[in-house]
Amino acid sequence: MIRTIPWNVSLKKVDVWFQDEARFGQQNTTTRLWAAKGTRPRAVKQQQFEYAYLFGAVCPSTGATEALVSPVMNMEVMDQHLALISQKTEAGRHAVLIVDGAAWHQPYLADKYSNLTIIKLPPYSPELNPIEQVWSWLRQHHLANRCFQGYEDIVDACSDAWNSFVSDAKRVTKMCSRDWINIGTN
């Protein structure tokens, strides 16, 4: 799959990014809570169905990140996210975006960006995409066990959670690095 990178791009100038999206909203995640021994803590579970979708991408080698919050998940939003990632990629470098098999993760979407290539992961292999751990971290540290008034409240909470995550580039690098992505160092 690495052959999908343009022939004139040196592997030493390639940055591997991981991209995915997650849904956050009123039908929220409940996680473990601290409570006195022998008691059963209560967590509120909302019955409404309002959601926001957080498109996120991380580059573990540089600590760079890019995110977009949207009311829908589709190719237009994916294209907007690709534009942000392309702009974030340093001049003279090439971003290889590792994505799962979602319908809106089409490799041809990257054709209009000279510094971007999309590589799809094999089916049923979310463990290969470390951004899945980012979603878990966001839920555990910021978004679980809470209620949201509506869409704007969800967007604000997702933005605050993402900004908290990316505030420490070492956290991004540590959580998302994988030995197998160091392609330009051999």
Side-chain angles (χ1 to χ4, degrees):
M1 292 305 293
I2 206 70
R3 285 186 244 159
T4 59
I5 298 171
W7 65 271
N8 60 337
V9 176
S10 166
L11 291 180
K12 293 182 189 298
K13 296 195 177 264
V14 170
D15 295 325
V16 176
W17 287 68
F18 295 100
Q19 191 278 340
D20 196 24
E21 50 285 320
R23 182 175 76 171
F24 299 97
Q26 292 176 325
Q27 292 284 321
N28 205 357
T29 306
T30 53
T31 59
R32 295 178 185 249
L33 301 170
W34 286 99
K37 189 173 183 175
T39 65
R40 181 170 278 195
R42 293 180 180 259
V44 177
K45 180 85 168 154
Q46 283 186 279
Q47 301 303 312
Q48 297 90 342
F49 292 95
E50 221 165 337
Y51 296 98
Y53 299 91
L54 178 58
F55 284 67
V58 296
C59 179
S61 60
T62 64
T65 63
E66 198 57 65
L68 179 68
V69 181
S70 171
V72 295
M73 248 194 262
N74 58 30
M75 281 196 208
E76 289 82 24
V77 179
M78 182 66 184
D79 187 47
Q80 291 173 5
H81 196 219
L82 291 176
L84 293 172
I85 295 166
S86 177
Q87 290 171 4
K88 189 81 167 214
T89 303
E90 291 180 31
R93 306 230 15 114
H94 190 85
V96 172
L97 197 62
I98 308 292
V99 299
D100 61 22
W104 46 88
H105 292 163
Q106 297 301 320
Y108 71 83
L109 289 174
D111 289 349
K112 65 174 146 180
Y113 305 104
S114 61
N115 64 343
L116 197 61
T117 300
I118 293 178
I119 297 178
K120 283 190 173 189
L121 289 169
Y124 309 106
S125 57
E127 70 279 358
L128 294 177
N129 196 342
I131 201 161
E132 297 289 349
Q133 293 174 307
V134 173
W135 305 142
S136 179
W137 187 91
L138 293 177
R139 285 184 171 94
Q140 289 176 2
H141 291 88
H142 293 281
L143 299 170
N145 300 331
R146 59 184 287 188
C147 294
F148 299 105
Q149 294 298 318
Y151 178 76
E152 293 301 323
D153 194 24
I154 297 166
V155 169
D156 291 343
C158 287
S159 299
D160 291 343
W162 181 263
N163 288 336
S164 174
F165 171 70
V166 303
S167 67
D168 184 3
K170 288 181 183 177
R171 179 188 304 126
V172 173
T173 301
K174 183 176 180 183
M175 189 179 296
C176 299
S177 288
R178 299 294 182 270
D179 290 338
W180 57 269
I181 65 168
N182 299 323
I183 57 176
T185 59
N186 295 335

